[in-house]
Structures are given as structure tokens and as C-alpha cells.
């Protein structure tokens, strides 16, 4: 599914972690609150579900005329040393 341009331009955090307890990948969307989660049996499925949830959250907020949360971004470019 192609996301509308406005949604694709939003740079929100997607945190994907394996959960031994749940035996799946758990996704957190921190800009949207501490209880905003989804999951997937594979990393790819978890990421796909996260994008779908983000799309729904953004569309819902825009549809209600609510402001979108400010994306958390890194302040500086990372420099990687290869040893």
C-alpha cells in the first residue's frame, strides 16, 4: 500500500525488539505514547505492522485536525570508525 506523501515525509521512531516472553517482535512508537505498540512474528512483519499503525495514527490525527507529535531526531550525524 502506497502511503500519501505527507505520511511518508514524517520521520517517526520505530523501535523493534524481540520479546522472549511473547515470542515475537514487539514494536514501540514512542512519539505516540508509552502504550502505542504493535507486534509481528518476524522482524519484517513487525515493521510492516508499525508502518500501518503509523499511517492510521497520522490519518486519524489529521482527520480530526489534531497536531501531530514532534518526531524525535538525532541532533548530529554519526561518524563510524571501521577498525
Amino acid at each position: 500500500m502506497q502511503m500519501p506523501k505527507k505520511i511518508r515525509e514524517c520521520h517517526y521512531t520505530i523501535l523493534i525488539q524481540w520479546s522472549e516472553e511473547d515470542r515475537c517482535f514487539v514494536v514501540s512508537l514512542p512519539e505516540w505514547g508509552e502504550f502505542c505498540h504493535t507486534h509481528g512474528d518476524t522482524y519484517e512483519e513487525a515493521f510492516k505492522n508499525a508502518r500501518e499503525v503509523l499511517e492510521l495514527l497520522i490519518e486519524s490525527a489529521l482527520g480530526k485536525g489534531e497536531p501531530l507529535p514532534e518526531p524525535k531526531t538525532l541532533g548530529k550525524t554519526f561518524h563510524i570508525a571501521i577498525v
Side-chain angles (χ1 to χ4, degrees):
M1 173 189 324
Q2 182 79 16
M3 285 196 266
K5 185 176 181 183
K6 176 125 177 116
I7 293 172
R8 283 185 291 140
E9 292 175 354
C10 294
H11 301 284
Y12 288 109
T13 305
I14 298 174
L15 178 62
I16 303 174
Q17 297 174 300
W18 176 254
S19 169
E20 283 296 331
E21 180 181 345
D22 298 313
R23 305 294 304 155
C24 67
F25 288 93
V26 176
V27 181
S28 301
L29 305 169
E31 287 93 342
W32 296 88
E34 81 177 272
F35 299 109
C36 190
H37 300 280
T38 187
H39 68 279
D41 290 332
T42 65
Y43 189 93
E44 293 78 12
E45 180 183 24
F47 182 66
K48 177 181 166 283
N49 292 342
R51 287 180 53 118
E52 289 175 1
V53 169
L54 274 175
E55 182 178 350
L56 292 171
L57 288 166
I58 292 168
E59 287 178 351
S60 177
L62 293 176
K64 294 176 184 177
E66 297 173 349
L68 297 177
E70 192 68 31
K72 296 177 182 177
T73 58
L74 295 174
K76 297 183 179 185
T77 304
F78 280 101
H79 295 278
I80 301 173
I82 300 175
V83 183

